[in-house]
Amino acid sequence: MSGPGNEAAWGRFGTGFAATAVLLGLAAIGFVAALDPYGLRAAPGRPPGPLMDSNQRFLYPQVARSGGYDAAVIGTSTARLLDPRDLDRAFGARFANLAMNAATPYEQSELAGLFLRHVEAKAMIFALDVTWCEADADRRRLTFRPFPSWLYEEAANGAVLRQVNWRSLTIAGGVLLHRLGLAPERIRGDGFAVFTPPEWSYDAPRAAAHIHSGATALDDTDASETEASASDGPMPALAWLDGLLEKTPASALKLVAFMPVNLAAQARPDTAQGARESACKGLVARIGAERGATVIDFRIPSPVTRDDTNYWDALHYRLPIAKRIVEGLKAAESDGRDDAAGFYKVLTPH
């Protein structure tokens, strides 16, 4: 039955429901804003909060804006195991590792640009994969992973509202748990995390099977590491690299390094793709020389890249190799010579 009484009751219910929804929405906005899971308030003197998300694209902008680091590693998962503490000791700077899983050259450039706008950089390491050599890098800018471009803008207008969603509520909850001492950071404050399995679990036959089948042993991999175009053509991402090196202070240490993937992932020199990679390295060396950077090539046949037991899969080396890379970067920067053991080549004159 309907009547004035029922209509009034339904009106009160609708009003109460709408008011409750508004209050819950405001509470959600306030909760996320207070916990600041993506570090919108991070700035010099305002360190970012704990890094609790698994998508580095959302987390690293706050590290870049914080001013807590004067040096950075830019790259993909092939550079994620470079420990900033090792780099600090080697180069006398405060490093953040901002390498992101499967990051395209465009995504890497956006993050590096953000860092360089907020920091008077003392050192920059650009860790390259063959994606920088691809002819369509300017068109294939993003992956299937969400990329929050609003976090990379100079002024993130409306960012407080943009970050209010179920994912942000979950991450904000993680931040609260961390502050209560109930949950650890997912990623260390300087961006470093060991994403490979524990060393004690290494299984050489299984790793070799992954290496030579083209598969990966890791859950979060560099899906962007694909074959570069075999045809001769433009390499548009190298213009972004040139621009980033130009923006890096002249007094800063500038290192550009091709990462040491397993030999199975390297193109043979006698193929069209091998010729393209060689041409790409030559262009990078020229850019590096013009911008005062040392260009180092670990992506070569070497005692390290030929030995399958140094790798989890064709792209990802083990922790001891990461320390050797840091040592190699330091030696190459210091003396400008190729490694005597053949681990790397220096492509620019000292």
Side-chain angles (χ1 to χ4, degrees):
M1 294 180 62
S2 62
N6 285 337
E7 290 178 2
W10 276 109
R12 289 193 297 273
F13 172 79
T15 301
F17 181 84
T20 300
V22 170
L23 289 173
L24 288 174
L26 290 174
I29 293 172
F31 178 72
V32 174
L35 273 301
D36 197 19
Y38 299 126
L40 297 180
R41 295 190 292 273
R46 289 184 184 174
L51 305 183
M52 303 301 293
D53 202 343
S54 59
N55 188 338
Q56 301 145 295
R57 290 156 176 80
F58 284 82
L59 293 183
Y60 287 168
Q62 62 186 302
V63 180
R65 289 196 304 269
S66 71
Y69 304 94
D70 58 15
V73 176
I74 303 296
T76 69
S77 64
T78 59
R80 278 195 70 192
L81 293 182
L82 303 183
D83 192 328
R85 294 171 182 172
D86 294 335
L87 291 166
D88 292 351
R89 287 188 290 269
F91 297 108
R94 300 189 311 278
F95 271 90
N97 189 324
L98 302 181
M100 302 184 295
N101 289 354
T104 64
Y106 172 78
E107 291 172 323
Q108 295 174 58
S109 298
E110 288 291 285
L111 182 54
L114 181 68
F115 184 83
L116 290 169
R117 289 196 302 272
H118 286 82
V119 174
E120 184 71 17
K122 189 174 180 179
M124 293 293 292
I125 298 176
F126 295 94
L128 306 190
D129 299 308
V130 292
T131 49
W132 284 86
C133 307
E134 291 176 349
D136 59 353
D138 56 341
R139 299 189 299 275
R140 289 178 44 206
R141 296 191 171 202
L142 302 177
T143 70
F144 64 88
R145 295 167 173 81
F147 183 80
S149 57
W150 49 275
L151 281 176
Y152 295 76
E153 296 171 359
E154 193 63 35
N157 297 321
V160 171
L161 296 178
R162 281 173 154 178
Q163 70 174 348
V164 178
N165 52 50
W166 183 250
R167 181 191 186 102
S168 297
L169 282 168
T170 302
I171 303 307
V175 171
L176 178 61
L177 290 174
H178 175 78
R179 290 181 177 171
L180 294 174
L182 300 176
E185 288 180 306
R186 295 199 64 163
I187 298 176
R188 206 167 72 194
D190 58 10
F192 180 70
V194 177
F195 69 101
T196 52
E199 281 294 318
W200 59 261
S201 70
Y202 184 75
D203 184 327
R206 183 180 181 186
H210 282 295
I211 290 167
H212 297 287
S213 69
T216 176
L218 307 175
D219 293 331
D220 199 0
T221 64
D222 240 343
S224 67
E225 174 81 10
T226 57
E227 290 191 355
S229 171
S231 62
D232 187 21
M235 301 179 190
L238 298 188
W240 300 336
L241 176 64
D242 184 40
L244 291 169
L245 289 170
E246 183 182 16
K247 292 173 185 175
T248 303
S251 60
L253 168 71
K254 304 176 188 180
L255 299 179
V256 180
F258 287 90
M259 289 290 96
V261 298
N262 185 276
L263 188 62
Q266 298 180 30
R268 296 195 313 274
D270 60 346
T271 64
Q273 184 175 323
R276 182 178 178 85
E277 286 189 27
S278 178
C280 179
K281 291 177 180 180
L283 289 173
V284 171
R286 188 175 72 188
I287 291 170
E290 291 173 351
R291 299 300 182 189
T294 300
V295 179
I296 305 138
D297 188 10
F298 293 96
R299 190 186 176 97
I300 59 174
S302 74
V304 170
T305 60
R306 290 190 184 96
D307 186 349
D308 290 351
T309 63
N310 289 325
Y311 290 83
W312 291 96
D313 57 52
L315 301 180
H316 300 102
Y317 44 80
R318 299 171 63 186
L319 274 173
I321 301 304
K323 291 188 177 296
R324 290 186 61 179
I325 293 172
V326 174
E327 293 169 358
L329 291 170
K330 177 60 178 176
E333 183 271 333
S334 297
D335 63 28
R337 294 195 295 267
D338 296 349
D339 180 46
F343 184 27
Y344 60 82
K345 294 181 179 178
V346 178
L347 304 184
T348 48
H350 188 50

